[in-house]
Amino acid sequence: MKVLIVGSGAREHALARSLHLDPDVEELHAVPGNPGLGQLATLHSQDPNDGVAIAALAVNVRADLVVVGPEAPLVAGVADAVREVGIPCFGPTAQAAMLEGSKAFAKEIMAAAGVPTAEPRVCRTREELAAALGEFGAPYVVKDDGLAAGKGVVVTYDLTEATAHGAAILDLGGVIVVEEFLDGPEVSLFCLCDGTTVVPLQPAQDFKRAYDGDAGLNTGGMGAYSPLPWAPAGLVDEVVRTVAQPTVDEMASRGTPFQGVLYCGLALTSKGMRVVEFNARFGDPETQSVLARLATPLGGVLLAAAEGRLADLPPLEWRDDAAVTVVLAAHGYPENVRGGDPIMGTDAAEEVSGAHVLHAGTARDDEGQLVAAGGRVLSVVGTGATLADARATAYEALDRIGLPGSHHRNDIALAAAADA
């Protein structure tokens, strides 16, 4: 099987790593990729959001499957263009991807499907914003309706901050969704969908805030771990039954079947499980931890989803090992990111038993030196028999990497490992 991966982050590197380990995958291509991905796949330079160009590339490399990683190409219709040339694509159509492209649309679908979620108010004016903030009270939850790379949400007790965040989006012509605050721990569950059938992966938890103790701004994610020893028994089955399957059924009934990953962001609240958000693709950095535990070869599973054959597959198999992912971020992230700093020690990090390094914001300079070229630069993944072992492995590997001015969280999976 020949597979073309669309994207350039650590999520796509994780997908490539799993596909590279699949004996049925003989050739990998990626667009645009990154230096780490380039060690596993042939890289191409087309615009990843240009559906016509991606479809033409897929035909040119004779791809048997295209896997679209990020949300922007999905919302732009890249999966539609690939399917139009007769090549199976893992990723929803542009219409189906609106589950992530518009939080207001996602709320509409959840309401129609009876999916438990936070009560929303869609705001298009400052007056509506002020009314919604007054109705729900603190802590305030203010979300950009559209795509914001994981950074369009503010959760704060400060009314001035909440108002300013919403006003800034409205001033740019955007739409705001204000929600009731959901208490309790959050869980990420990826569900593979083929338009009809839902197959869940193992749950993970990610860490959105920039610094230890959940301090600092929201980011695209600073780390993740799996499994979740504290999660209630039957959680995965409950999510499939009450969230994922009803959503897939509702999308199919509207003539926009959902094929790809339905990312269910959940809060386990005092009133029961609630959906925080849907994404239409694998989450980053949770994917890095979840795929490190998947024993079933990935290629055949993704192809079955793309071809509507998930019901024919045997149950997925999982390794007993835990996995912990720690993100190394560039100087200034998530605000004023500094690029061009040299990255040292990635090979030494991979010499740690049970560890591997996935590239995200990296590039090669004119001298061939690996340098930082984005906010989240690397994902360092550690595996081990327990969460404590996996944590130790990840941080031992991370300690071997040098990047001037960088920062990372030191508390990824710390509480869960202590309680396990």
Side-chain angles (χ1 to χ4, degrees), residues 22 28 50 69 78 105 147 176 182 187 211 252 300 303 317 373-374 405 411:
D22 185 336
L28 282 174
D50 184 337
V78 167
F105 174 74
L147 297 179
I176 295 296
L182 297 178
V187 175
Y211 303 112
L303 183 61
E317 297 181 3
D411 60 351

Side-chain angles (χ1 to χ4, degrees), residues 182-188 205 225 228 230-232 266-270 272-274 276:
L182 297 178
D183 61 349
E186 293 193 7
V187 175
S188 300
Q205 186 178 59
Y225 68 95
L228 309 182
W230 48 266
L266 312 162
L268 306 186
T269 79
S270 55
M273 183 265 294
R274 298 286 187 272
V276 177

Side-chain angles (χ1 to χ4, degrees), residues 80-170:
D80 306 67
V82 170
R83 290 190 178 98
E84 285 173 5
V85 296
I87 295 175
C89 185
F90 182 80
T93 63
Q95 281 187 302
M98 289 308 290
L99 278 175
E100 178 169 3
S102 168
K103 293 176 179 63
F105 174 74
K107 290 292 186 179
E108 176 192 327
I109 294 294
M110 284 187 259
V115 171
T117 186
E119 184 72 17
R121 296 291 180 267
V122 178
C123 307
R124 293 178 170 83
T125 67
R126 289 182 179 235
E127 291 75 19
E128 290 175 344
L129 172 63
L133 293 174
E135 177 184 359
F136 288 127
Y140 307 100
V141 181
V142 184
K143 299 182 175 182
D144 188 336
D145 178 63
L147 297 179
K151 292 177 282 188
V153 180
V154 161
V155 181
T156 179
Y157 283 88
D158 186 334
L159 178 59
T160 300
E161 181 184 2
T163 302
H165 179 68
I169 295 168
L170 292 173

